């Protein structure tokens, strides 16, 4: 197999950006880190450095938050009418749309993902996200109401509410869907009149920096959008703890999210956390196997398993268990590994060698426990390739079956009744997503009500829409993104009471 991306395949625009000097984007300007520190950016298909980014210091974080706070009171932003914020968002969507191919190429080189995926999810979906959320800019409203005030029966009052921007938002995004997640966090900021300091994952910061340039090009005022690059343990932590931040919007691991919640509680910052998952995929006795088998395979192997909602626990009715297990294993064995820019590739490398080693440890632990494992091997040579794994015969309480692996690793279990399946599905500390596969609508309704997950899919998996709120139960997070709820989470509601003179 061809293992490394061929940089001669990419456009001149993508190549020029990859080779350009990259700084922090603060107050409308690119600048190096104050101490000159940089971080290497590596292509996961080859393990070779393709660029360097700035590593933000405490001084840089303070400057970015300061710029966001100033912009929050700048009349150019504060007094901007909602229709003009909407127009800016639509202009940004058009600017991204004009660069879909180069953005996808940059993302593939940076993240290792398949070019088809980066084009669809990292370049095209942000365009739709901005266009959907832009409409909310002119639809944010309060309410008016007649008040009773029963303890003052001789007086008359009316009540009203009004929404205001929540303030400076610190947004921290993961490495698995970099540009898409950056825009998901940016869009409600622009629609509601907030300002933002965005810190992308240090492994995949390139498209966030290009996004910042496009924001400036379409005329978004200086300081409204700031991008700092750097390590999560330093720049990310300093951003979360900064007293000038009003809200934290984080997507990443449960362990880091827990630390953010503790930090935010000390100063009563608002926060939204979209965290880990160990999502069950349940194939019932009434499932259509022609639909469910490939659905189960791609629920875990899409994006090489690097999805927070990946269907990593497959629960199959005993009647179909052998057929489903065989079918999924056949698909897994047929997938062609290769670099993201190669259109023949069906499974791309994992994000890094370090991450691949972590994934491999989980599979090795399952083997050591006596499980029946197919696949799950690191590929010799350059890059961070890992063959898709199917694990059967593992105790449901084993760490490999309970912890988020974030790789192409599927654990399969059988059940004899719907009640047993529901118990197994909910037997986890996570609650982000779940799916049920059935041709029986009553069966689907029972599972929908019983599963402990923020999103439950029926006869599909991992489908998100911009109009539908997304979030997790249990240790999978706090709060919601997307939809009306995701926009309103960037506002604060103020109540008012007006006394009316007595009628003569």
């Amino acid at each position: 197999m061809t293992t490394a991306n061929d940089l001669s395949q990419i456009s001149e625009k993508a190549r020029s950006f990859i080779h350009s000097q990259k700084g922090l984007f603060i107050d409308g300007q690119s600048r190096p880190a104050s101490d000159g520190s940089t971080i290497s950016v590596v292509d996961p298909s080859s393990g070779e450095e393709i660029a360097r980014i700035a590593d933000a210091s405490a001084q840089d974080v303070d400057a970015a938050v300061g710029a966001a706070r100033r912009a929050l009171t700048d009349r150019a932003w504060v007094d901007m009418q909602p229709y003009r914020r909407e127009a800016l968002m639509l202009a940004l969507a058009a600017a991204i749309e004009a660069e879909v191919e180069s953005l996808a190429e940059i993302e593939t080189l940076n993240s290792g993902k398949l070019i088809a995926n980066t084009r669809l999810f990292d370049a095209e979906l942000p365009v739709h996200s901005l266009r959907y959320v832009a409409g909310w800019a002119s639809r944010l409203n309060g309410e008016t109401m007649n008040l009773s005030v029963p303890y003052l029966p001789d007086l008359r009052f009316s009540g009203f509410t009004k929404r205001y921007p929540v303030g400076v938002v610190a947004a921290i995004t993961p490495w698995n869907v970099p540009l898409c997640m950056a825009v998901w966090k940016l869009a409600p900021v622009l629609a509601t009149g907030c300002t933002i300091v965005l810190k992308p994952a240090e492994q995949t910061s390139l498209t966030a920096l290009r996004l910042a340039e496009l924001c400036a090009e379409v005329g978004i005022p200086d300081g409204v959008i700031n991008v700092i690059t750097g390590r999560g343990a330093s720049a990310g932590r300093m951003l979360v703890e900064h007293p000038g931040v009003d809200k934290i919007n984080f997507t990443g691991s449960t362990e880091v999210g827990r630390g953010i919640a503790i930090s935010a509680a000390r100063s009563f910052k608002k926060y939204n956390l979209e965290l880990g998952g160990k999502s069950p995929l349940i194939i019932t006795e009434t499932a259509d196997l022609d639909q469910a088998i490939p659905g189960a395979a791609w629920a875990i192997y899409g994006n090489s398993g690097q999805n927070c909602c990946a269907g990593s626990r497959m629960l199959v009715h005993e009647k179909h268990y052998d057929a489903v297990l065989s079918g999924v294993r056949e698909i897994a064995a047929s997938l062609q590994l290769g670099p993201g820019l190669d259109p023949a590739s069906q499974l791309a490398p994992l994000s890094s060698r370090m991450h691949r080693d972590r994934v491999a440890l989980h599979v090795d632990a399952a083997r050591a426990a006596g499980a029946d494992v197919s696949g799950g091997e690191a590929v010799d040579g350059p890059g961070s390739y890992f063959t898709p794994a199917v694990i059967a015969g593992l105790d449901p309480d084993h760490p490999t079956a309970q912890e988020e692996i974030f790789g192409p690793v599927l654990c399969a279990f059988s059940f004899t009744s719907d009640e047993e399946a529901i118990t197994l599905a909910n037997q986890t500390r996570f609650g982000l997503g779940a799916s049920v596969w059935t041709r029986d609508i009553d069966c689907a309704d029972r599972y929908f009500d019983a599963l402990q997950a923020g999103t439950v899919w029926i006869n599909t998996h991992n489908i998100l829409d911009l109009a539908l709120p997304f979030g997790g139960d249990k240790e999978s997070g706090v709060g919601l993104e997307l939809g009306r709820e995701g926009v309103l989470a960037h506002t604060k509601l103020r109540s008012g009471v007006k006394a009316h003179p007595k009628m003569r």
Side-chain angles (χ1 to χ4, degrees):
M1 94 179 171
T2 302
T3 57
N5 283 311
D6 181 359
L7 269 64
S8 69
Q9 294 178 312
I10 67 173
S11 63
E12 178 56 36
K13 179 169 283 189
R15 188 179 299 107
S16 175
F17 181 80
I18 289 286
H19 293 152
S20 67
Q21 186 173 1
K22 295 162 190 69
L24 310 168
F25 190 85
I26 298 175
D27 209 10
Q29 300 292 325
S30 178
R31 62 173 80 172
S34 58
D35 59 5
S37 298
T38 61
I39 299 173
S40 176
V41 177
V42 172
D43 175 2
S45 77
S46 64
E48 296 179 358
E49 179 177 294
I50 57 172
R52 298 195 72 85
I53 56 172
D55 187 7
S57 67
Q59 181 179 338
D60 299 319
V61 173
D62 191 57
V65 175
R69 290 224 69 84
R70 287 193 299 276
L72 198 63
T73 58
D74 185 349
R75 306 321 301 182
W77 186 239
V78 175
D79 293 340
M80 185 177 289
Q81 292 176 301
Y83 85 91
R84 289 194 59 214
R85 290 203 307 274
E86 179 177 356
L88 281 177
M89 294 178 70
L90 295 175
L92 180 58
I96 294 173
E97 188 172 43
E99 296 197 11
V100 159
E101 201 58 35
S102 62
L103 287 168
E105 290 167 344
I106 294 166
E107 201 74 280
T108 288
L109 287 174
N110 194 176
S111 68
K113 294 163 56 177
L114 299 177
I115 187 68
N117 286 352
T118 58
R119 185 183 296 116
L120 182 62
F121 297 110
D122 284 293
E124 293 180 357
L125 189 55
V127 175
H128 300 295
S129 301
L130 284 161
R131 288 174 177 162
Y132 170 79
V133 180
W136 279 104
S138 56
R139 290 169 176 79
L140 298 172
N141 60 278
E143 295 180 310
T144 61
M145 62 204 79
N146 294 320
L147 302 181
S148 298
V149 195
Y151 49 87
L152 295 173
D154 296 330
L155 299 177
R156 188 166 67 89
F157 300 90
S158 61
F160 57 96
T161 61
K162 187 175 180 181
R163 293 192 177 275
Y164 295 87
V166 75
V168 174
V169 176
I172 302 176
T173 54
W175 47 258
N176 63 324
V177 198
L179 182 58
C180 180
M181 295 302 303
V183 172
W184 278 10
K185 297 192 185 313
L186 172 63
V189 164
L190 296 176
T192 56
C194 295
T195 60
I196 187 171
V197 179
L198 169 66
K199 198 213 82 69
E202 58 264 34
Q203 301 92 333
T204 54
S205 295
L206 297 186
T207 50
L209 293 171
R210 180 58 187 143
L211 174 65
E213 292 176 352
L214 292 175
C215 289
E217 289 174 16
V218 301
I220 294 173
D222 294 348
V224 171
I225 296 166
N226 306 274
V227 177
I228 57 168
T229 54
R231 305 177 197 281
S234 52
R237 178 182 54 79
M238 290 184 288
L239 180 59
V240 164
E241 295 176 353
H242 199 287
V245 167
D246 299 299
K247 175 184 170 70
I248 303 162
N249 194 346
F250 170 79
T251 298
S253 71
T254 294
E255 288 65 35
V256 174
R258 182 178 289 109
I260 289 173
I262 292 169
S263 174
R266 295 191 183 103
S267 56
F268 296 98
K269 288 186 178 78
K270 295 177 173 58
Y271 57 86
N272 187 94
L273 307 174
E274 195 263 281
L275 308 176
K278 194 72 174 178
S279 299
L281 182 147
I282 306 164
I283 299 177
T284 70
E285 185 177 8
T286 59
D288 179 348
L289 298 192
D290 289 338
Q291 182 183 23
I293 290 173
W298 286 111
I300 180 61
Y301 300 132
N303 204 31
S304 300
Q306 298 171 137
N307 288 322
C308 54
C309 290
S312 52
R313 292 186 299 141
M314 183 176 71
L315 315 180
V316 188
H317 190 276
E318 60 178 359
K319 175 181 176 181
H320 303 307
Y321 181 75
D322 290 341
V324 171
L325 187 62
S326 175
V328 172
R329 279 181 164 161
E330 183 177 344
I331 293 173
S334 72
L335 296 178
Q336 181 171 329
L337 275 67
L341 289 178
D342 185 347
S345 299
Q346 296 173 293
L347 204 67
L350 298 182
S351 63
S352 68
R353 281 290 184 107
M354 183 182 296
H355 180 53
R356 186 183 73 174
D357 291 345
R358 286 195 294 264
V359 172
L361 285 174
H362 282 285
V363 178
D364 291 344
R367 286 194 181 97
D372 178 11
V373 181
S374 60
E377 302 283 354
V379 178
D380 290 337
S384 49
Y385 293 94
F386 192 80
T387 62
V390 180
I391 300 173
L394 192 64
D395 188 313
D397 291 326
H398 189 277
T400 299
Q402 286 292 317
E403 297 302 317
E404 183 177 45
I405 297 175
F406 224 62
V409 180
L410 176 65
C411 294
F413 307 93
S414 68
F415 64 87
T416 59
S417 68
D418 292 338
E419 290 72 21
E420 182 186 7
I422 290 167
T423 298
L424 280 171
N426 291 337
Q427 190 176 311
T428 171
R429 64 191 177 102
F430 298 109
L432 192 56
S435 65
V436 55
W437 300 72
T438 178
R439 287 177 284 196
D440 182 342
I441 188 64
D442 291 333
C443 174
D445 287 344
R446 287 196 303 273
Y447 275 97
F448 188 90
D449 290 338
L451 292 172
Q452 297 168 359
T455 299
V456 177
W457 295 282
I458 299 169
N459 294 325
T460 189
H461 195 99
N462 224 9
I463 297 297
L464 303 179
D465 187 82
L466 309 170
L468 198 64
F470 175 67
D473 289 347
K474 298 190 283 189
E475 293 188 30
S476 286
V478 177
L480 295 166
E481 289 195 282
L482 305 183
R484 175 177 182 268
E485 289 79 2
V487 175
L488 296 185
H490 290 75
T491 67
K492 53 187 178 184
L493 199 63
R494 185 173 299 164
S495 298
V497 177
K498 181 179 180 180
H500 296 270
K502 289 185 177 181
M503 300 293 291
R504 292 186 181 275

